[in-house]
Amino acid sequence: MFYKVILSILVMILFANQALANDTKKVLIVLTSHDQLGSTGKKTGFWLPELTHPYYRLTQANIDVDIASIKGGLAPIDAKAFTEADDNHQRFLNDTDLLTKVLNTIPIDKVVANEYDAVIYSGGSGPMWDFPNNPDIERISTTIYQNNGIVAAVCHGVAALTSITLPNGDLLIKGKRVTGFSNIEEQELGTENIVPFLLQSKLIDQGATFIEGKPWQSNVIIDGQLITGQNPASATPLADALINQLRKN
């Protein structure tokens, strides 16, 4: 009798662990591969806190995270990020696992979209050049969205949403409440005449309802399966909103 009880407990633990494994969520973070700031001769890339803040929030919530970029391999970091104080900078530099993921990002054309419950398009100025009109961004986003997953983007990463078309022919953002790097913030950054387009204006032109927060202050907008953050300050709360949504699914 004793052995039967022990065996029953072991079986229950096995099935419980299997259920937890099957319930593990998986998120893809996509980075830019573009490192030139227009024709200025200056370098750009992805904005480090818009990777590290969501990444650490997600992994602390026991969510698996993969990192891809448009071309794969080393994703360019905008060095200006290191001029701003951030506790996660040193954490990143000491984190062999995350450093390896950034050095060896998955090429976006190799991403199997069905493996993920959500995607986050990370910011920095680089995405303004290589996120729009990318067929793999459209493929990944529409697949996740149709699977009842979540499509999220922060800051200039919202540029990825400007060309995602659903199977019915409508733009993903049409009629949706969204935010992203605002025209005022672009002007204050001094890049309004350098980037290919003003993100806020583009989103409005394409039928989205743009919700503008105060410059450089956190602003996250949730519209169903779509989550957007305005600027770097929005990266952590965007991750928190994503985690909450995943727990509901």
Side-chain angles (χ1 to χ4, degrees):
M1 182 58 130
F2 173 76
Y3 293 108
K4 287 183 178 179
V5 171
I6 295 297
L7 180 60
S8 296
I9 292 172
L10 290 173
V11 170
M12 289 173 64
I13 292 172
L14 176 64
F15 277 106
N17 288 339
Q18 185 63 46
L20 286 172
N22 291 336
D23 194 45
T24 300
K25 301 296 185 181
K26 194 172 184 180
V27 174
L28 179 71
I29 298 179
V30 179
L31 306 176
T32 183
S33 294
H34 188 86
D35 66 355
Q36 298 296 316
L37 190 62
S39 58
T40 64
K42 297 178 180 179
K43 292 289 189 179
T44 187
F46 74 89
W47 196 250
L48 186 59
E50 292 172 23
L51 165 65
T52 56
H53 287 222
Y55 178 86
Y56 287 124
R57 214 63 161 194
L58 292 166
T59 55
Q60 286 165 8
N62 296 316
I63 293 170
D64 291 339
V65 182
D66 284 342
I67 300 177
S69 68
I70 301 302
K71 295 181 180 179
L74 173 61
I77 301 173
D78 190 327
K80 293 191 298 296
F82 288 104
T83 66
E84 299 184 4
D86 190 304
D87 291 341
N88 280 327
H89 287 346
Q90 194 59 50
R91 183 178 182 180
F92 167 73
L93 294 172
N94 293 333
D95 188 337
T96 303
D97 289 340
L98 183 51
L99 279 169
T100 299
K101 288 182 177 182
V102 171
L103 288 168
N104 300 282
T105 61
I106 303 166
I108 198 169
D109 63 356
K110 304 299 183 185
V111 169
V112 180
N114 283 318
E115 294 182 355
Y116 299 95
D117 300 285
V119 59
I120 299 175
Y121 294 105
S122 190
S125 293
M128 292 292 286
W129 280 270
D130 64 357
F131 276 12
N133 303 307
N134 183 287
D136 289 300
I137 283 180
E138 180 165 335
R139 172 182 61 85
I140 292 164
S141 303
T142 55
T143 298
I144 291 173
Y145 195 79
Q146 288 183 292
N147 289 343
N148 294 315
I150 299 163
V151 176
V154 62
C155 200
H156 286 107
V158 180
L161 309 183
T162 60
S163 56
I164 297 171
T165 303
L166 298 172
N168 65 4
D170 286 341
L171 287 169
L172 173 64
I173 59 173
K174 181 181 178 182
K176 297 289 199 310
R177 298 169 69 251
V178 302
T179 192
F181 204 59
S182 68
N183 290 354
I184 291 176
E185 287 167 322
E186 201 74 71
Q187 290 162 8
E188 291 185 358
L189 198 62
T191 48
E192 74 274 19
N193 295 318
I194 297 171
V195 292
F197 55 88
L198 291 175
L199 183 54
Q200 177 178 349
S201 298
K202 183 83 165 180
L203 293 166
I204 293 170
D205 289 345
Q206 292 184 323
T209 299
F210 191 88
I211 309 300
E212 183 178 357
K214 294 180 180 179
W216 312 108
Q217 301 299 308
S218 174
N219 179 34
V220 173
I221 302 299
I222 304 170
D223 193 329
Q225 297 165 244
L226 188 63
I227 304 176
T228 48
Q230 181 170 323
N231 46 36
S234 308
T236 296
L238 178 133
D240 289 340
L242 175 57
I243 292 166
N244 289 334
Q245 292 286 81
L246 288 175
R247 285 173 176 166
K248 294 176 185 177
N249 291 353

